[in-house]
């Protein structure tokens, strides 16, 4: 169950990242600072636990700086950066590097996501099916993406 929760969250993050890379890549756009705020959550139905977080992302060239905070714990903060490392066969690959992590609690569900992202590159692949944009992640999850 925890793997599916983690996979869903990672897919949501990747979906958010995809939005950054669909923006024009002109020289002016590359210098422009673009920000996105999204809410994400982890849910464990077996133990009735949930964790909600706010993610603030800023695109700077081919790097996405992230800051994740918790509305339930003002001491929680996670900062990191996603760097696009490759594009192969239509898949966009990203590496994640932590910058800062502070929490007063132990055993958070988000810790699993942090561990996975630190040890694996993450990919996503944009597709279209009958004109409908889709995002497919390495974990097999498929999301509809709203057309521009």
């Amino acid at each position: 169950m925890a793997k599916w929760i983690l996979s869903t969250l990672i897919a949501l993050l990747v979906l958010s990242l995809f939005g950054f890379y669909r923006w024009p890549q002109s020289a002016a756009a590359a210098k422009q600072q673009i920000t996105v705020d999204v809410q994400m959550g982890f849910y464990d139905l077996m133990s009735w636990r949930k964790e909600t977080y706010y993610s603030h992302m800023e695109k700077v060239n081919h790097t996405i700086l992230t800051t994740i905070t918790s509305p339930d714990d003002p001491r929680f903060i996670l900062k990191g950066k996603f760097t696009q490392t490759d594009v192969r066969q239509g898949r966009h690959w990203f590496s994640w590097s932590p910058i800062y992590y502070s929490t007063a609690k132990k055993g958070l569900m988000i810790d699993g996501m942090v561990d996975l992202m630190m040890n694996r590159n993450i990919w996503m692949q944009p597709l279209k099916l009958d004109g409908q944009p889709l995002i497919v992640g390495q974990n097999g999850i498929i999301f509809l993406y709203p057309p521009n």
Side-chain angles (χ1 to χ4, degrees):
M1 180 61 115
K3 284 184 180 180
W4 285 106
I5 294 168
L6 182 59
S7 297
T8 302
L9 178 63
I10 289 171
L12 288 173
L13 280 174
V14 170
L15 179 62
S16 298
L17 292 174
F18 178 67
F20 280 104
Y21 284 92
R22 289 191 46 151
W23 291 327
Q25 293 297 318
S26 67
K31 292 179 183 177
Q32 182 182 16
Q33 184 177 3
I34 302 171
T35 63
V36 172
D37 293 300
V38 296
Q39 185 178 27
M40 61 183 182
F42 293 91
Y43 303 93
D44 184 344
L45 297 176
M46 298 288 284
S47 66
W48 290 93
R49 287 179 44 201
K50 73 174 185 173
E51 296 173 15
T52 305
Y53 299 96
Y54 297 125
S55 177
H56 175 79
M57 297 179 224
E58 295 180 36
K59 179 179 184 255
V60 180
N61 294 326
H62 291 285
T63 300
I64 300 170
L65 303 174
T66 61
T67 301
I68 300 174
T69 57
S70 171
D72 302 319
D73 184 359
R75 299 167 293 184
F76 179 90
I77 188 164
L78 171 61
K79 291 185 178 224
K81 69 178 183 173
F82 287 95
T83 304
Q84 185 170 353
T85 58
D86 200 6
V87 177
R88 286 179 281 161
Q89 300 173 344
R91 293 179 178 170
H92 297 255
W93 291 83
F94 298 91
S95 66
W96 186 79
S97 304
I99 297 171
Y100 179 77
Y101 185 41
S102 174
T103 183
K105 296 181 181 177
K106 301 289 184 202
L108 294 172
M109 288 184 273
I110 197 169
D111 292 338
M113 181 195 73
V114 170
D115 184 50
L116 179 67
M117 290 190 314
M118 285 177 49
N119 293 297
R120 294 190 72 172
N121 283 341
I122 299 167
W123 66 259
M124 68 83 198
Q125 183 170 4
L127 301 171
K128 277 196 175 183
L129 181 62
D130 294 330
Q132 171 64 57
L134 304 171
I135 304 294
V136 178
Q138 69 194 49
N139 54 13
I141 292 179
I142 300 172
F143 288 95
L144 296 175
Y145 192 81
N148 290 340

